[in-house]
Amino acid sequence: MYDLLRCMPTIPGAIGAFRREAVLQVGGMSDDTLAEDTDITIALHRAGWRVVYQEHARAWTEAPGSLKQLWSQRYRWSYGTMQALWKHRGSLKDKGPSGRFGRVGMPLVVLFQVVTPLFAPLIDVFTLYSMIFIDFRSALLAWLAVLGVQLLCAAYAFRLDREKYRYLLMMPLQQLAYRQMMYLVLIHSCVTALTGGRLRWQKLKRTGEVGTPAGAG
């Protein structure tokens, strides 16, 4: 969607490629935020460069090995994204490519990465309330219906990326554990931003356990 709208918000650090000329034109990588990949991507948009998605690109990178490391990584990403959005808030009133990203890309990132996830816990609260005090069966069926829609969307995404469907079995667990943690991470990030708190880099501990799969090249 971001590619079609020409407002890709982030060139991921683990699997991104930049033209040297483009990086130099926007002043190189900045340490103003904790999401330097999002920061420079927005800067490239504002400078008139086009950022595209390459569906066949692949990279192997280490994931957090513990709940604490996962929290730290997502906390840094969430807080860093807010920093990048605030840094480039001037694009909202700019003209040309910068203004286009500001009025199309910025609202989408705010909506889908900040506002919607921030209010999403209310859905769980209302569902739980309905199960306990109103109609357990209807609330459960509604929750299962939403889960079914999410499974269909995920299955389509897996088909596009030629992933193994058996991993979809983890999705119900994601709804009950991972998603709740992401809510708390975002709330934590918002509180830090609103109170003017400072956040250090939160570097991921490397183990060297990830290798390139056989046959990949």
Side-chain angles (χ1 to χ4, degrees), residues 84-113:
L85 293 174
W86 182 254
K87 175 181 176 179
H88 295 282
R89 64 190 184 279
S91 63
L92 291 168
K93 59 180 183 294
D94 285 346
K95 296 180 180 179
S98 179
R100 187 184 187 285
F101 181 83
R103 288 182 286 276
V104 177
M106 294 274 278
L108 287 174
V109 176
V110 171
L111 177 63
F112 290 115
Q113 295 190 29

Side-chain angles (χ1 to χ4, degrees), residues 15 18 28 32 74 77 95 116 158 162 175 178 184:
I15 186 171
F18 300 83
D32 291 340
R74 301 292 168 166
W77 286 358
K95 296 180 180 179
T116 303
F158 273 44
R162 293 182 290 278
Q175 302 300 302
Y178 177 80
L184 296 175

Side-chain angles (χ1 to χ4, degrees), residues 131-142:
M131 287 181 174
I132 297 174
F133 298 105
I134 302 178
D135 188 334
F136 176 83
R137 184 172 178 274
S138 297
L140 178 61
L141 288 175

Side-chain angles (χ1 to χ4, degrees), residues 4-54:
L4 292 173
L5 294 175
R6 292 183 293 153
C7 59
M8 188 79 68
T10 306
I11 300 175
I15 186 171
F18 300 83
R19 290 184 181 273
R20 184 174 184 272
E21 177 188 354
V23 175
L24 293 177
Q25 181 183 335
V26 299
M29 302 296 289
S30 170
D31 60 359
D32 291 340
T33 75
L34 293 177
E36 75 290 345
D37 49 0
T38 299
D39 184 5
I40 194 170
T41 304
I42 297 177
L44 290 173
H45 279 295
R46 299 186 69 183
W49 289 89
R50 186 181 176 197
V51 180
V52 298
Y53 170 65
Q54 172 50 260

